[in-house]
């Protein structure tokens, strides 16, 4: 019993973690990321140079641009910036960029952010925005199918739960496919002197890929095990013992009740004694 409780708690924790992963992937900002260390001008219309780490982090909802000085305190300022520019359909990327200009953000941040504006010659804003939107839709659908699979496994309808796991994996892999299409378009170089800022797939991308692959393997395992050894599949989900107890209880509830001792005594009376009693009364 203790082992079964521990197993149930672990399964519940795993399901909760995966549900959190599905939700978190929508808002993480490191689907694609890159860093570069360079000597660059700090402010517009100024010849002051600073040494800093410049980072670009691309998510489904927009980009984050970071600027951290080496050291942090230079030119009588603390150089430690992390600015977000959203491109979701309820946000205006160009407006966010204009606000950055008005605030007087450092030149490296504005230079990188300008590459993703709608009027930029790079022409990557539309591709990133559309691909991120479709990837986000696929992830929301994957979360729904994952919750449905949990419901089917608890009912229990194991085979259809396996099908839902496969559908969850397919949706997650499609979200990656939509995001990958952006990498195929030509990109403008982001240069800081001789140094170039290049990006590659980030942690969120690989976490989504790992989760989708895990759902794919689990779904295939459930379907194959259900066709080859269905009893073992029930044992894995701890259903075989519960079903046997239910069947035993049903059989006992439908058995005829045992006759009482008085009824047994009446039935054991011999036919001769019954005749004598009848003759005496007459």
């Amino acid at each position: 019993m203790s082992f079964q409780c521990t197993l149930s708690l672990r399964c519940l924790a795993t399901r909760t973690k995966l549900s959190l992963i599905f939700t978190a992937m929508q808002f993480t900002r490191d689907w694609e990321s890159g860093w570069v260390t360079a000597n660059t001008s700090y402010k517009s219309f100024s010849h002051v140079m600073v040494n800093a780490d410049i980072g670009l982090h691309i998510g489904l909802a927009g980009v984050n641009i970071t600027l951290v000085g080496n050291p942090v305190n230079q030119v009588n300022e603390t150089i430690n910036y992390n600015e977000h520019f959203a491109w979701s359909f309820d946000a205006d990327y160009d407006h966010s960029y204009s606000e950055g200009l008005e605030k007087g953000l450092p030149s490296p941040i504005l230079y990188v952010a300008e590459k993703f504006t709608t009027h930029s010659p790079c022409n990557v804003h539309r591709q990133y925005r559309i691909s991120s939107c479709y990837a986000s839709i696929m992830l929301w659908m994957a979360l729904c199918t994952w919750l449905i699979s949990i419901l089917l496994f608890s009912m229990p309808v194991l085979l259809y739960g396996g099908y839902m796991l496969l559908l969850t994996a397919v949706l997650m892999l499609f979200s990656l496919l939509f995001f990958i299409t952006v990498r195929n378009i030509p990109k403008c170089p982001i240069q800081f002197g001789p140094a170039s800022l290049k990006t590659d797939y980030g942690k969120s991308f690989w976490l989504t890929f790992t989760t989708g692959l895990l759902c794919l393997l689990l779904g295939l395992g459930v379907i194959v095990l259900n066709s080859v050894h269905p009893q073992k599949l029930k044992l894995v989900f701890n259903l075989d013992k519960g079903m046997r107890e239910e069947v035993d209880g049903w059989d006992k509830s439908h058995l005829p009740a045992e006759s009482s001792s008085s009824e047994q005594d009446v039935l054991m009376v011999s036919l001769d004694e019954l005749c004598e009693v009848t003759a005496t009364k007459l």
Side-chain angles (χ1 to χ4, degrees):
M1 180 65 68
S2 177
F3 174 75
Q4 294 176 358
C5 293
T6 304
L7 185 61
S8 300
L9 289 175
R10 288 182 179 178
C11 291
L12 180 60
T14 302
R15 293 172 181 176
T16 304
K17 289 179 180 178
L18 287 176
S19 301
L20 291 175
I21 288 174
F22 284 116
T23 307
M25 290 302 101
Q26 298 282 348
F27 308 103
T28 53
R29 298 171 180 177
D30 56 350
W31 279 67
E32 187 179 347
S33 60
W35 285 90
V36 67
T37 302
N39 292 315
T40 179
S41 61
Y42 182 56
K43 292 288 187 179
S44 300
F45 310 107
S46 174
H47 298 288
V48 177
M49 304 290 289
V50 296
N51 185 270
D53 294 327
I54 306 163
L56 173 61
H57 312 282
I58 302 174
L60 300 182
V63 297
N64 263 59
I65 304 172
T66 58
L67 178 68
V68 182
N70 292 318
V72 176
N73 295 314
Q74 298 184 51
V75 295
N76 297 325
E77 291 189 28
T78 300
I79 304 175
N80 189 0
Y81 292 87
N82 183 15
E83 299 294 328
H84 179 67
F85 301 89
W87 58 38
S88 55
F89 282 107
D90 59 345
D92 188 347
Y93 184 93
D94 290 341
H95 180 69
S96 299
Y97 177 74
S98 300
E99 288 181 344
L101 287 173
E102 294 175 0
K103 290 191 298 184
L105 292 177
S107 295
I109 294 179
L110 295 175
Y111 168 68
V112 177
E114 193 271 337
K115 299 289 185 179
F116 295 91
T117 56
T118 56
H119 58 269
S120 172
C122 296
N123 195 26
V124 296
H125 175 84
R126 183 173 179 271
Q127 286 82 356
Y128 267 106
R129 187 177 185 180
I130 294 176
S131 63
S132 298
C133 176
Y134 280 110
S136 178
I137 292 173
M138 291 295 105
L139 285 179
W140 284 123
M141 293 176 63
L143 176 61
C144 295
T145 54
W146 165 251
L147 296 176
I148 293 174
S149 70
I150 294 177
L151 180 63
L152 292 175
F153 281 132
S154 61
M155 287 180 62
V157 189
L158 303 182
L159 180 60
Y160 292 101
Y163 288 148
M164 278 297 160
L165 275 180
L166 280 182
L167 183 56
T168 302
V170 170
L171 290 172
M172 296 192 73
L173 296 178
F174 264 104
S175 70
L176 298 177
L177 183 62
F178 281 121
F179 192 80
I180 288 173
T181 55
V182 186
R183 302 277 300 180
N184 297 327
I185 62 176
K187 294 185 178 181
C188 292
I190 304 176
Q191 293 289 142
F192 294 94
S196 177
L197 176 58
K198 297 180 179 180
T199 59
D200 202 352
Y201 297 125
K203 295 179 181 178
S204 297
F205 180 91
W206 293 114
L207 182 59
T208 305
F209 175 77
T210 305
T211 306
L213 189 61
L214 178 62
C215 291
L216 179 64
L217 294 177
L218 289 176
L220 289 176
V222 169
I223 294 173
V224 171
L225 199 58
N226 182 79
S227 61
V228 178
H229 298 291
Q231 295 302 324
K232 289 185 178 181
L233 180 63
K234 294 177 182 178
L235 185 62
V236 169
F237 283 87
N238 198 24
L239 298 176
D240 192 43
K241 183 178 178 180
M243 292 179 65
R244 288 180 180 177
E245 291 177 354
E246 184 179 352
V247 172
D248 293 341
W250 186 88
D251 291 340
K252 290 181 180 179
S253 63
H254 287 75
L255 285 176
E258 295 182 357
S259 57
S260 61
S261 58
S262 60
E263 291 176 346
Q264 291 179 357
D265 293 341
V266 172
L267 293 175
M268 291 176 64
V269 175
S270 62
L271 183 61
D272 295 337
E273 293 178 355
L274 183 60
C275 292
E276 291 179 4
V277 172
T278 305
T280 304
K281 287 184 179 180
L282 291 173

